[in-house]
Amino acid sequence: VGSEMCIRDSFIDLGLAKELNPFMDILLSWGIGYFIFVKIVAVIFACFVFWKYRTNKLVKIGIAVSLLGYLALMVYFYVNIV
């Protein structure tokens, strides 16, 4: 979460990217602290839900999709930076 937030913040500050999530865009307009706080709370909540229902097959698929999506996002950022 930390590296993604730093990259996203840098890209937005440089004008190379725009936050597509309207809710998160509002938080960014209020300040980076609000954005970071809500992002961390959302990730903690998702981890809690995934942990609580970890034996459910659909949750296992959700975890795999989340991790692969996040990895793809990081690779995309890295490839476009270099």
Side-chain angles (χ1 to χ4, degrees):
V1 173
S3 62
E4 184 262 340
M5 281 191 294
C6 291
I7 292 170
R8 177 180 293 180
D9 185 46
S10 297
F11 272 46
I12 291 171
D13 284 348
L14 294 171
L16 300 173
K18 180 180 179 350
E19 177 59 55
L20 296 177
N21 180 334
F23 176 69
M24 295 305 275
D25 193 38
I26 291 169
L27 292 174
L28 272 174
S29 72
W30 292 351
I32 191 69
Y34 293 103
F35 175 84
I36 290 171
F37 176 76
V38 171
K39 184 83 165 183
I40 290 172
V41 168
V43 169
I44 290 170
F45 177 74
C47 289
F48 171 76
V49 171
F50 282 154
W51 180 257
K52 183 173 180 168
Y53 299 103
R54 65 189 177 275
T55 58
N56 184 310
K57 184 173 182 163
L58 189 57
V59 170
K60 290 178 183 181
I61 293 169
I63 291 170
V65 168
S66 296
L67 291 175
L68 288 174
Y70 206 76
L71 177 63
L73 182 64
M74 291 287 81
V75 168
Y76 174 79
F77 280 148
Y78 179 74
V79 167
N80 286 310
I81 289 173
V82 175

